[in-house]
Amino acid sequence: MTDSGRLAIIIGSVREGRFGPVVASWVAEQATTHGGFDVDVIDLADFDVPLVLPAASPKYAGDAYPRPEGMRPLTERLDAADAFIIVTPEYNHSYPASLKAAIDWHFTQWTAKPVAFVSYGGAAGGRHGALHLENVLTELHAVTIRDGLAFPAYFTTWDGGRPLDPTAAGYATTLLTQLTWWATALRRARAETPYPA
Ligand SMILES: Cc1cc2nc3c(=O)[nH]c(=O)nc-3n(C[C@H](O)[C@H](O)[C@H](O)COP(=O)(O)O)c2cc1C
């Protein structure tokens, strides 16, 4: 295990014919090359994440929260993560409902952990979705990372599974370096003192 621990890269879209796995695969390659983390790519399409939630909030129910059996591996992998990169498209100027559902089924899994964003879409490069996610993750006591990546018009700016922009890898390095710093600091802090949520 590295000092920064485990990085979960979350593919936020579950749509048929989605582009998300292409972006996530490139991000995972950048993270592996960067070397600060053990990398785990989480595809939300692999799990049962219903829209109907239990009556209670996961904030108070803790481990007893009644999640579907098909969500268990997702919850375990979110629990095990020390940092997250959320890979999100933009749907109607926000992020997909699949991602919101996965976020809302959990609470402590996000708390006192750093989260960075890689977005893609049309002209805005998915930035509307990433901005909304920053708001939401703050409510869950996560720490959002300033430097994100946004890929506008991905349908003309990516080829063969990679962005054509030669500066993209450098921006990914900046994001990963900041994420590593926060992950190491917060991992130590969580081990020393329970977070006062
Ligand atoms: C329901 C829906 C709404 C969309 N709204 C936007 C939008 O507001 N802005 C934008 O730039 N792209 C928008 N798009 C285009 C998506 O960014 C594009 O289809 C992208 O491939 C979606 O990611 P995915 O392939 O991983 O699902 C929308 C796509 C869908 C399916």
Side-chain angles (χ1 to χ4, degrees):
M1 176 75 79
T2 62
D3 278 354
S4 312
R6 196 175 166 100
L7 167 66
I9 297 171
I10 300 175
I11 304 173
S13 65
V14 297
R15 190 176 69 93
E16 283 174 26
R18 66 212 161 121
F19 190 66
V22 175
V23 180
S25 169
W26 180 81
V27 171
E29 185 189 304
Q30 304 308 304
T32 304
T33 304
H34 186 269
F37 292 106
D38 298 317
V39 177
D40 178 26
V41 177
I42 295 180
D43 186 347
L44 295 182
D46 291 341
F47 309 98
D48 180 18
V49 186
L51 288 178
V52 179
L53 292 163
S57 160
K59 180 175 181 176
Y60 304 108
D63 290 343
Y65 199 57
R67 298 185 179 90
E69 188 54 29
M71 193 186 291
R72 192 171 11 162
L74 170 63
T75 303
E76 287 172 356
R77 285 161 71 180
L78 296 177
D79 249 328
D82 297 291
F84 301 98
I85 297 178
I86 298 183
V87 175
T88 185
E90 180 167 318
Y91 287 0
N92 297 321
H93 278 200
S94 191
Y95 57 91
S98 46
L99 197 44
K100 186 66 161 69
I103 291 170
D104 289 348
W105 271 99
H106 298 91
F107 196 99
T108 54
Q109 289 75 14
W110 310 108
T111 296
K113 296 180 184 177
V115 187
F117 305 102
V118 175
S119 62
Y120 56 97
R127 284 190 191 86
H128 297 104
L131 286 171
H132 289 182
L133 280 165
E134 279 183 10
N135 264 337
V136 169
L137 270 299
T138 299
E139 170 63 15
L140 301 165
H141 301 261
V143 176
T144 58
I145 301 304
R146 180 203 177 268
D147 283 62
L149 267 74
F151 293 103
Y154 69 92
F155 27 84
T156 56
T157 57
W158 281 63
D159 192 31
R162 333 187 62 76
L164 295 171
D165 180 355
T167 65
Y171 286 113
T173 300
T174 303
L175 177 157
L176 285 158
T177 302
Q178 292 177 5
L179 195 62
T180 304
W181 189 93
W182 277 106
T184 306
L186 292 177
R187 194 163 174 237
R188 277 194 206 122
R190 289 195 310 275
E192 280 169 17
T193 318
Y195 180 75

